[in-house]
Amino acid sequence: MREIFLIDNLSSNHQNSSYEDLAIDIAQLVKENMAYSNNQIYDEVSLAKLGSNKTVEAYQTLISKSYVIAVYERQVLLACGFLTIQDGRYFSKSLHVHPDYRGHGLAKFICDERERFLINLGERSIFIESLKFPNTISFHQRRGFLPEVPYRELKHTILMKKEL
């Protein structure tokens, strides 16, 4: 049986909660996903550098200031995603689905939930800064995201925007 956890730290700040167990699960899922999705897009050094900030502590901080969607089954994290504010804009962050559960609609569910949350806030757009994995970019384009001119220099990612 799947369990869905929604944590709203955008509307109310819970900095006193550590979310350590969830952050541990997310950091592990992200590490697995980056290795699985890479397909030689990034060399080992670049991939290691991109993953260097994907720590338990970094995810605890992100959780404390985000809207979080996490999907578990039998205490295993299958998928997660964040919605946060960055540079005064709402950003979709860290969408990850366990490689064994891709194609089951989990990424679509998380994206729909984030967009529904934003629409309920009265927002009309969402941004994503995506790694350059072709399948990831294609997924976001199918969901209506279009490339956006970056407002800051981006080396390993592309900026995309979707009107809601």
Side-chain angles (χ1 to χ4, degrees), residues 90 118-126 161-164:
Y90 283 95
L118 277 181
I119 289 167
N120 287 338
L121 291 178
E123 294 299 320
R124 297 293 174 241
S125 60
I126 183 173
K161 178 182 180 182
K162 179 179 180 179
E163 296 298 330
L164 302 174

Side-chain angles (χ1 to χ4, degrees), residues 26 29 38 50 53 70 76 86 90 92 97 100 105 107 120 146 159:
I26 291 170
L29 177 61
N38 188 33
L50 287 168
N53 66 344
V76 174
Q86 176 181 312
Y90 283 95
S92 167
V97 176
D100 293 344
N120 287 338
L146 299 173
L159 180 66

Side-chain angles (χ1 to χ4, degrees), residues 79-127:
C80 66
F82 297 83
L83 179 64
T84 195
I85 298 173
Q86 176 181 312
D87 300 324
R89 300 170 177 153
Y90 283 95
F91 268 82
S92 167
K93 286 284 196 181
S94 207
L95 175 63
H96 291 279
V97 176
H98 189 285
D100 293 344
Y101 292 89
R102 291 183 177 192
H104 293 236
L106 295 172
K108 180 185 179 316
F109 167 77
I110 289 170
C111 291
D112 288 347
E113 178 60 35
R114 289 191 292 211
E115 291 170 17
R116 188 173 20 260
F117 182 84
L118 277 181
I119 289 167
N120 287 338
L121 291 178
E123 294 299 320
R124 297 293 174 241
S125 60
I126 183 173
F127 291 84

